[in-house]
Amino acid sequence: MPLDIKYSIKLEKQRIKNTIKKLSWYEKLGYSPSFPKNINSKIDNLEKIYTAIQNEYVEENYKKAAIEINKNFLKIESTVYNKLQKICCKKIKRNFKLILTKYGVGGSYALPNKIIYNIGMKFSSVNTILHEITHLIIEPYIKKYKIQQNEKERIVDLILVSKNIALNNYKMQKRGEECKKFIDPLFKKYFKPPVSNFFKKIAEFYNKN
């Protein structure tokens, strides 16, 4: 099933607005969100930023990106979905909404089914989208057991490089390296049906430390 891909100036303005709201959080965790050229997100007002977005917006670029993303995504969609469903013991709805942007971080997500992908980044579009889909799949466990950000990123990476998924050319992030000493052994031992046990073990680790 093709991704339901959306893009517009209105969506770009909303992306910038949301990014500015979370800017201090992004910076604290080491993220570097992108903004329109010659814009200082800490000084320039939204009106100036919105004007810059309109000046930069070329719809044809988004259209080309959408076609290429769907073409590449459809090649691996069924195989990866089936593997993710099997490893997570959870049926995955295939009605994801993908918003294309030039701004903010490389990728993000929002329950129940929204993914945002930054077409200006050099990351693999398909791998980034699958990364965000994996986030959506495990997010209920993340919220229930209050899993922290870096641990969450490490878990998604471990899922996608595991022998059960083995996503081609997927590169693990440096983010999450500091927690791998306890996350990786827990993943190896407990990430199997029912996967809730794995997240419980992380919560137990938090409580003991």
Side-chain angles (χ1 to χ4, degrees):
M1 180 184 293
L3 293 160
D4 179 15
I5 301 180
K6 306 290 185 185
Y7 47 86
S8 68
I9 290 177
K10 183 179 179 180
L11 287 170
E12 287 292 46
K13 289 179 179 180
Q14 188 60 52
R15 174 66 165 176
I16 285 290
K17 189 174 181 180
N18 291 341
T19 298
I20 290 173
K21 283 181 180 178
K22 295 179 66 176
L23 191 57
S24 60
W25 182 82
Y26 283 136
E27 290 177 342
K28 182 180 178 181
L29 289 169
Y31 292 96
S32 300
S34 54
F35 288 89
K37 291 179 181 178
N38 302 317
I39 287 294
N40 185 326
S41 59
K42 295 181 179 180
I43 298 175
D44 295 326
N45 60 36
L46 280 176
E47 184 178 349
K48 181 176 180 180
I49 297 173
Y50 289 166
T51 299
I53 290 171
Q54 288 180 281
N55 291 338
E56 288 187 359
Y57 189 82
V58 180
E59 186 160 316
E60 185 63 23
N61 294 341
Y62 294 78
K63 184 178 179 180
K64 287 179 180 177
I67 293 170
E68 187 68 16
I69 287 168
N70 254 331
K71 182 179 75 173
N72 292 331
F73 185 76
L74 287 171
K75 291 177 182 178
I76 64 167
E77 174 207 15
S78 293
T79 301
V80 175
Y81 274 151
N82 290 337
K83 288 179 178 180
L84 283 171
Q85 285 186 150
K86 186 175 181 180
I87 192 174
C88 296
C89 292
K90 190 173 183 179
K91 188 173 182 180
I92 303 170
K93 294 182 179 180
R94 302 189 182 188
N95 59 337
F96 294 102
K97 295 180 180 179
L98 176 62
I99 295 173
L100 299 185
T101 182
K102 282 177 59 182
Y103 310 113
V105 293
S108 50
Y109 65 95
L111 291 172
N113 64 342
K114 184 166 78 172
I115 300 163
I116 303 175
Y117 172 66
N118 187 333
I119 62 175
M121 297 291 184
K122 295 180 180 180
F123 310 124
S124 161
S125 59
V126 171
N127 285 355
T128 302
I129 291 164
L130 289 171
H131 178 97
E132 303 306 330
I133 286 174
T134 306
H135 271 301
L136 287 171
I137 294 168
I138 68 170
E139 186 67 8
Y141 300 114
I142 298 298
K143 288 182 174 292
K144 182 176 180 179
Y145 296 103
K146 299 179 181 179
I147 308 300
Q148 297 172 18
Q149 177 67 24
N150 285 338
E151 282 87 325
K152 178 175 71 171
E153 293 296 334
R154 185 71 181 178
I155 293 164
V156 170
D157 280 354
L158 289 171
I159 290 171
L160 293 176
V161 300
S162 69
K163 62 181 181 180
N164 297 301
I165 305 295
L167 193 61
N168 285 338
N169 301 316
Y170 185 86
K171 294 182 179 179
M172 296 186 74
Q173 306 171 80
K174 291 182 179 179
R175 192 177 312 283
E177 281 282 310
E178 68 278 10
C179 62
K180 72 178 183 181
K181 287 183 179 179
F182 81 91
I183 287 290
D184 291 28
L186 290 176
F187 184 89
K188 185 177 181 179
K189 187 173 182 179
Y190 295 106
F191 198 84
K192 54 189 174 184
V195 295
S196 57
N197 288 340
F198 165 67
F199 294 97
K200 285 179 184 176
K201 291 295 180 182
I202 299 174
E204 289 172 7
F205 179 90
Y206 287 159
N207 291 333
K208 291 177 181 178
N209 295 272

